[in-house]
Amino acid sequence: MGARPYLLSRIALMAAGWDQRMPEIEIYTQPRCAYCLAARRLLTAKGLAFREIDAPHGSPERAEAIHRSGGRTTVPQIFIDGEPVGGADELAMLERSGELDRRLGIAAGQP
């Protein structure tokens, strides 16, 4: 009896260091924000799915971002599985150090 292709591919992914699920990524942004664009580009370049939340000044979404981030008033504000990461600079720093991949459950050398 042969193994199921689905099972083999899942085992191969796990052996390669991929977690069984990808964390939820949320990013609060506003229009014409260069830092928001940089964060979106980094996440997109890594092939990551994320939920973008439009949060212009004075909006309920911006108030939510400020509350969730512990008082940070700038955008973008990025969250991985509900945990605040910070903004574009912090995201880039995590990427350079390899910590972003660790938080996402991506093994070194994986896309």
Side-chain angles (χ1 to χ4, degrees), residues 27-28 33-43 72 74-78 85-96 100:
I27 177 171
Y28 288 84
C33 168
Y35 290 103
C36 299
L37 178 61
R40 285 193 309 262
R41 283 184 176 163
L42 191 154
L43 295 170
R72 292 178 178 222
T74 58
V75 289
Q77 284 302 316
I78 303 156
V85 169
D89 290 340
E90 290 84 3
L91 185 67
M93 185 173 58
L94 290 174
E95 172 65 5
R96 283 191 301 274
L100 181 59

Side-chain angles (χ1 to χ4, degrees), residues 16-89:
W18 285 89
D19 282 348
Q20 292 182 344
R21 68 161 195 89
M22 290 299 291
E24 179 184 10
I25 302 170
E26 299 168 287
I27 177 171
Y28 288 84
T29 64
Q30 73 178 22
R32 297 177 298 283
C33 168
Y35 290 103
C36 299
L37 178 61
R40 285 193 309 262
R41 283 184 176 163
L42 191 154
L43 295 170
T44 301
K46 292 184 74 65
L48 298 169
F50 57 91
R51 183 169 74 103
E52 185 172 357
I53 303 159
D54 189 30
H57 288 286
S59 68
E61 292 81 7
R62 183 65 155 258
E64 179 180 275
I66 293 168
H67 175 74
R68 290 184 66 199
S69 67
R72 292 178 178 222
T73 60
T74 58
V75 289
Q77 284 302 316
I78 303 156
F79 298 84
I80 298 175
D81 276 345
E83 294 294 319
V85 169
D89 290 340

Side-chain angles (χ1 to χ4, degrees), residues 2-18:
R4 295 182 202 159
Y6 169 77
L7 182 59
L8 286 178
S9 62
R10 187 167 175 201
I11 290 170
L13 286 173
M14 289 171 63
W18 285 89

